[in-house]
Amino acid sequence: MAIIAIGASAGGVDALREVVAGLPADLNAAVFVTLHIGAHRSDLPWLLSRAGLLPATHPVDGEAIRAGHIYVAPPDHHMLVEAGLVRLTKGPRENWARPAIDPLFRSAARAYGANVIGVIQTGGLNDGTAGMYEVKARGGTAVVQDPAEAVTPNMPQSVIDNVAVDHIVKLAQMAALLTGLVDDQKSTRPRIVHPTGDAQEKGMTAEFTLNRPVAVTCPDCGGALRRSELGKLTQYSCHIGHVYTAEVMMSVQFLTMERALETALRSLGERAELCREMSVKLADDPDGEAAYKHWAAAKDEALDQTEPLRALLTRPWLHPAETSSRERHDC
């Protein structure tokens, strides 16, 4: 079974529908589609199902991959490919997008190697270029829409400029090309490719990480801080002149963190109140029972999520400078 991974952005709905309309019902490939829809509700599975012979759905996390099916990245989730499974994550945005194309291409290439056919259609900027580079690096095939006919040519042109592309085609020929590439696949089983484990790869999993920061930043302006030693005293200074000792930096960092947690707590409280007000409005509406339950459940969810934040705000935190001072005084 082959994996066809398609990425599109501006103008992508019509482009996707035209390609899907030409794919056969017995296609021996699973089709994965990422369109830059952000967190907005999407009817793309319904539109693609109506456009052609293959069923299209938003997958659930852990769903089994099967041939002859179109998997569409759901709103506000990256869609990843593992060996035999679809994975969904709300990891950090890539190229200012979630869902983004690069995580789909990257994960498909690492799981299925030469059995992957990457496709980039119309769109702005260059999401998908880095992912297509990995598709090619692991033996896959790179296909792009002819930029000359794309509504927005930047994405396909970026791939052409940076990757050894195998096929540049117009939409009218793309479905036939993809069907032919699938039929030409020599392997009938997915070739599992194990990651090399280098540091860059580990940091590109479409999940939030806690890697070592590149730099400590200035609480006043956000610029990178330079460390200097004055005897036993450590100072941090940014390029416009803000200066902190390590002890003051520790205190300021704590205040910054505290404000961020308070902002998150306030946002959750406001979400809970909005949901409560809407549930009260619908409580006595006989036609709004389902909507009432959704609003009430969302309210409870928001309130539940405030508890970990309250715990973080009220817990005692270590302050090394104060501890060291007390220890010296005790001695």
Side-chain angles (χ1 to χ4, degrees):
M1 179 175 68
I3 299 293
I4 299 176
I6 306 178
S9 187
V13 173
D14 289 338
L16 288 165
R17 292 176 68 188
E18 182 168 351
V19 172
V20 165
L23 297 176
D26 60 350
L27 183 72
N28 187 32
V31 182
F32 292 84
V33 172
T34 291
L35 179 71
H36 288 163
I37 57 173
H40 304 291
R41 180 178 178 274
S42 172
D43 292 323
L44 187 58
W46 180 79
L47 292 170
L48 296 184
S49 295
R50 287 176 59 87
L53 301 174
L54 301 179
T57 60
H58 288 313
V60 297
D61 185 47
E63 182 172 337
I65 297 173
R66 57 190 187 277
H69 195 89
I70 302 173
Y71 301 91
V72 181
D76 206 29
H77 286 75
H78 295 308
M79 181 171 62
L80 310 178
V81 177
E82 289 187 0
L85 298 175
V86 185
R87 290 296 184 188
L88 302 178
T89 173
K90 288 195 70 170
R93 291 176 179 81
E94 296 195 24
N95 298 312
W96 204 245
R98 187 176 60 214
I101 301 165
D102 278 341
L104 169 62
F105 280 30
R106 190 168 64 235
S107 61
R110 293 175 185 178
Y112 284 86
N115 290 343
V116 176
I117 303 168
V119 182
I120 288 294
Q121 297 182 334
T122 176
L125 299 178
N126 60 1
D127 187 26
T129 298
M132 188 71 88
Y133 182 90
E134 292 222 27
V135 168
K136 286 292 294 179
R138 294 170 186 265
T141 304
V143 177
V144 298
Q145 179 184 359
D146 186 346
E149 69 158 16
V151 174
T152 308
N154 305 69
M155 275 180 16
Q157 188 61 55
S158 175
V159 176
I160 293 169
D161 292 343
N162 293 279
V163 181
V165 172
D166 298 292
H167 304 278
I168 303 172
V169 295
K170 295 186 181 301
L171 289 176
Q173 289 81 49
M174 190 172 286
L177 172 66
L178 296 177
T179 303
L181 291 173
V182 170
D183 292 340
D184 289 343
Q185 288 278 4
K186 296 180 180 180
S187 174
T188 59
R189 296 183 304 168
R191 187 193 318 188
I192 308 303
V193 180
H194 298 286
T196 60
D198 61 69
Q200 185 178 12
E201 244 179 35
K202 289 179 180 178
M204 298 179 67
T205 58
E207 297 284 359
F208 284 101
T209 62
L210 194 61
N211 295 327
R212 183 177 177 180
V214 175
V216 178
T217 57
C218 176
D220 278 307
C221 67
L225 289 170
R226 181 186 299 107
R227 190 180 77 180
S228 59
E229 305 291 341
L230 301 174
K232 293 183 178 180
L233 184 68
T234 300
Q235 280 190 326
Y236 291 86
S237 58
C238 71
H239 70 284
I240 68 170
H242 297 121
V243 180
Y244 307 86
T245 63
E247 291 78 9
V248 173
M249 266 293 295
M250 170 65 72
S251 299
V252 175
Q253 281 183 334
F254 179 80
L255 291 174
T256 302
M257 178 189 68
E258 190 174 53
R259 290 193 191 106
L261 291 172
E262 289 171 347
T263 299
L265 187 62
R266 186 201 71 220
S267 297
L268 284 169
E270 291 175 355
R271 177 181 175 86
E273 178 59 18
L274 169 65
C275 295
R276 186 196 68 80
E277 290 178 357
M278 291 302 298
S279 64
V280 169
K281 175 183 175 181
L282 295 165
D284 298 325
D285 184 354
D287 297 324
E289 182 178 357
Y292 163 78
K293 290 180 179 179
H294 286 306
W295 284 107
K299 177 204 71 175
D300 292 340
E301 178 188 57
L303 291 176
D304 288 343
Q305 295 301 322
T306 64
E307 294 309 311
L309 294 178
R310 292 182 192 279
L312 286 172
L313 282 166
T314 57
R315 63 164 289 179
W317 290 85
L318 292 174
H319 294 274
E322 295 176 7
T323 303
S324 299
S325 177
R326 285 197 299 269
E327 288 174 349
R328 287 194 298 271
H329 181 73
D330 292 342
C331 292

